[in-house]
């Protein structure tokens, strides 16, 4: 580890903290439906959308209607993308003449991008046409991100409203978030990326002469526009197979820093928006403090392990940190930081291969996802996932003080606790269940490149990433098979919507309750004790469930590595 590496990590957190309140203020304006400076230009566009769709943005919805409209919207988009991918061979915007995508891969990809997972069982440049990238996939990068933020707004209203029957309007929330946040930022972001060397063209490829005198065909495409929303919306699906390790997606150290910042900025800011929504910004800062503690701990372990290097190579006289699978232009610190950022959020973009990390260095990205991706988390998904843990934390606190638990003025009763447990229990059940099945069936065992504990880690990481809607991978797993594409697609759908529906039910239940002012016996939820309890609950409920799988995978792999054995 170096001083420069720690300056990068600490400077990264400091920049994000500085952005939290300004961005959170903008998000709060969208949460309340207030007018912004962009309404002068985009207001007519917004009203035009509502008129064409026959939507009254002021007609609020119960949690059930909100959930149904959100689900139907996502199902229609999924079917649309599946059709685009299957018909790719006969559609325009295909300069390479690529054939239609096979049925099992089209299903996996359509589900993946609908659920904000962006898992890719394919190489983008050799499988997807320009039209498929722009129309079939990028549309989901915007709408899945807008859906996540809209759902967070719905839960905020559940805590903030008193004796109300509605939690907002899904169509109005998603439209405002897209028009006044995602699109404007991505226009500026795309221009920055183009200026930094990221391609933005409808051309398919160019032929060049290499330094060795050989001819090479270099693939191009509308990369910058997809890259911008890929990062800002914590999507992660790369235009190229190498993702953000590819110089056409992430060419410089500056673009690398901006990409990491864009992954976290909205997640940081939504904590402040939550505090503002419930009338106490200290509530938001407390949640953010717990998230940062978990994040910094993860970065420390990953950076320490990657900087320490591989003891097997050290015994062979090769000194230094672990540079396997990392880009020289980024180095160990930036690669370790990126890996934790992308898995703490539900992004999944990578600038280094996690399969090449040391055993414990690769364990932290895996563990981040297994916590439920609530360490900052995806746009919207992180904060509403963390609030589920907060509900269970105040329940535990209520047991300790012997009174009905309260959180931000709402009594937390058995209905909310049961729904929160139901939502959180989805992850371990599907991750462990599907991993166990794949570890014994021939079709599952045909996927891992490595044998033993590292091979198990490849399977475990795949289902962890799918259920957690992350999308990153231990690249040693061959996942483009009917078995893995189908099972991972099911895992992604369950991991997204089987959490969302109970969460919306909690929002509806809370919105209908009266406000309960704090009293002398109330458990404080803004101080250091509360932050510590939150961290503990996340680690216990989100982490202990997975200790058996961790022992079989990364920990066993680490023991094999330090004993001088190759796994």
């Amino acid at each position: 580890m170096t001083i420069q590496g720690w300056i990068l990590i600490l400077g990264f957190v400091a920049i994000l903290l500085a952005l939290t309140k300004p961005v959170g203020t903008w998000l709060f304006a969208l949460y309340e439906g207030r007018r912004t400076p962009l309404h002068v230009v985009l207001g007519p566009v917004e009203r035009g959308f509502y008129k064409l769709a026959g939507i009254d943005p002021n007609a609020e919805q119960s949690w059930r209607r909100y959930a149904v409209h959100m689900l139907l919207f996502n199902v229609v988009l999924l079917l649309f993308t599946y059709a685009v991918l299957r018909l790719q061979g006969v559609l325009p915007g295909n300069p390479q003449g690529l054939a239609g995508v096979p049925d099992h891969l089209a299903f996996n990809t359509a589900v993946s991008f609908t659920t904000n997972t962006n898992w890719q069982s394919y190489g983008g440049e050799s499988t997807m046409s320009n039209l498929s990238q722009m129309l079939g996939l990028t549309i989901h990068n915007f709408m899945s991100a807008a859906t996540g933020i809209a759902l967070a707004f719905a839960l905020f209203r559940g805590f903030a409203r008193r004796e109300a029957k509605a939690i907002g309007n899904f169509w109005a929330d998603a439209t405002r978030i897209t028009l006044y946040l995602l699109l404007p930022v991505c226009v500026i972001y795309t221009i920055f990326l183009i200026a930094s060397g990221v391609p933005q063209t409808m051309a398919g490829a160019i032929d060049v002469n290499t330094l060795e005198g050989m001819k090479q065909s270099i693939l191009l495409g509308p990369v910058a526009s997809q890259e911008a929303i890929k990062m800002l919306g914590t999507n992660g699906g790369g235009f190229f197979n190498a993702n953000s390790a590819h110089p056409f997606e992430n060419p410089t150290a500056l673009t690398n820093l901006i990409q990491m910042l864009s992954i976290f900025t909205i997640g940081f800011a939504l904590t402040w928006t939550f505090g503002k929504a419930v009338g106490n910004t200290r509530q938001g800062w407390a949640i953010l403090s717990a998230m940062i503690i978990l994040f910094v701990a993860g970065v420390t372990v990953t950076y320490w392990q990657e900087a320490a290097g591989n003891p097997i190579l050290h015994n062979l006289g090769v000194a230094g940190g672990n540079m396997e699978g990392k880009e020289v232009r980024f180095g160990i610190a930036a690669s370790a930081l990126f890996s934790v950022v992308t898995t703490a959020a539900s992004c999944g973009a990578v600038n280094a291969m996690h399969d090449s990390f040391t055993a414990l260095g690769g364990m932290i990205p895996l563990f981040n996802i297994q916590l439920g991706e609530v360490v900052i988390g995806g746009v919207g998904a992180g904060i509403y996932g963390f609030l589920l843990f907060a509900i269970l934390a105040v329940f535990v606190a209520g047991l300790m003080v012997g009174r009905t638990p309260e959180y931000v003025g709402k009594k937390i009763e058995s209905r909310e606790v049961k729904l929160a447990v139901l939502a959180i229990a989805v992850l371990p059940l599907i991750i462990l269940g599907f991993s166990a099945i794949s570890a014994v069936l021939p079709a599952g065992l045909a996927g891992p490149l490595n044998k033993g504990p590292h091979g198990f880690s490849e399977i475990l990481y795949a289902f962890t990433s799918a259920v957690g809607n992350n999308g990153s991978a231990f690249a040693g797993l061959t996942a483009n098979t009917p078995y893995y594409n189908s099972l991972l697609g099911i895992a992604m759908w369950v991991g997204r919507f089987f959490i969302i529906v109970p969460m919306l039910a909690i929002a509806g239940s809370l919105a209908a309750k009266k406000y309960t002012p704090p009293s002398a016996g109330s458990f404080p939820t803004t101080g250091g004790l509360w932050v510590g309890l939150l961290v503990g609950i996340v680690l216990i409920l989100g982490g202990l469930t997975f200790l058996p799988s961790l022992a079989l995978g990364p920990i066993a792999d680490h023991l094999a590595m330090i004993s001088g054995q190759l796994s």
Side-chain angles (χ1 to χ4, degrees), residues 346-358:
S346 62
C347 185
V350 294
N351 75 347
M353 298 301 105
H354 296 178
D355 193 46
S356 295
F357 277 32
T358 60

Side-chain angles (χ1 to χ4, degrees), residues 10-11 45 50 54 75 100 116 123 136 151 163 185 218 285 319 389 405 457 473 478 480 483 518 550:
L10 296 177
V45 178
Y50 296 147
V75 168
N116 197 246
L151 292 166
E163 300 180 84
V185 173
I218 299 178
W285 288 119
F389 282 100
S457 291
T478 300
N480 192 11
Y483 173 82
L550 290 173

